[in-house]
Amino acid sequence: AIGVNGRVYSGSRDGTIRVWHGKTGGHLRTYCATTTVKAGYVTSLVANETWLFSGIANRTTGACIAWRCPSGSSLTTLDGLTAKVLSLALDNSDQLYTGSSDKTIRVWSASKLTHIHTLTVHMGWITSLTVGIDALYSSCSDGTTRVWSTADWTPLWTVREDST
């Protein structure tokens, strides 16, 4: 993930997140998620000016952890997530999206760290999320990519892997 002030974040199987200087490549610090939540590996990272969010997965569960930028303090785990968190996305209007192995996409307030809405149309694990203008794009292990309206969370259209 690319953060503010030229920081680059990388996640690892050992549950650590390393912070790098974007211009020099120098190592700045290491965060360790596994000291706070069940041991797991980092699946995804997104950052804004205030928070670094990390998706965590282990054999059966997962979490989304919020770290205060740039200090790495005030570790918080978002409430209500129990499945593996496989993908994350942030938009410019304070929305955080988590995609999980329980086939859901959860929408959060990135500033308040509170749950807003859950999207439940996918039939498999949510493997990728990205945000566009007024839309959320989600890819799933069932071979579909869906486009969602960020105004009212309705699905706009679906592309299937076997579509031509």
Side-chain angles (χ1 to χ4, degrees):
I2 306 296
V4 296
N5 299 326
R7 289 183 169 79
V8 176
Y9 302 93
S10 63
S12 181
R13 279 190 75 77
D14 66 3
T16 59
I17 299 164
R18 289 182 174 75
V19 184
W20 308 91
H21 190 282
K23 291 185 180 179
T24 67
H27 179 255
L28 300 174
R29 73 176 57 225
T30 300
Y31 305 158
C32 186
T34 58
T35 59
T36 304
V37 298
K38 293 180 181 178
Y41 54 95
V42 178
T43 58
S44 53
L45 297 165
V46 292
N48 64 18
E49 293 179 1
T50 307
W51 297 100
L52 166 68
F53 297 97
S54 59
I56 304 291
N58 63 29
R59 293 176 76 160
T60 58
T61 64
C64 181
I65 301 170
W67 308 81
R68 187 165 302 282
C69 292
S71 69
S73 63
S74 298
L75 179 66
T76 303
T77 302
L78 300 184
D79 291 332
L81 290 166
T82 56
K84 298 174 185 180
V85 176
L86 304 174
S87 52
L88 299 171
L90 272 171
D91 69 17
N92 291 331
S93 66
D94 190 48
Q95 308 286 322
L96 168 69
Y97 305 90
T98 58
S100 301
S101 63
D102 65 359
K103 307 174 188 175
T104 65
I105 300 167
R106 287 186 173 82
V107 185
W108 306 82
S109 164
S111 60
K112 296 177 184 173
L113 305 177
T114 55
H115 179 256
I116 297 170
H117 190 70
T118 302
L119 308 174
T120 59
V121 175
H122 277 294
M123 301 303 291
W125 292 13
I126 311 303
T127 57
S128 178
L129 294 169
T130 192
V131 178
I133 298 171
D134 299 325
L136 171 69
Y137 301 85
S138 59
S139 294
C140 177
S141 64
D142 68 1
T144 61
T145 297
R146 295 187 187 270
V147 181
W148 306 83
S149 165
T150 55
D152 60 6
W153 311 117
T154 56
L156 300 175
W157 48 272
T158 302
V159 175
R160 301 204 188 292
E161 197 171 82
D162 57 357
S163 297
T164 55

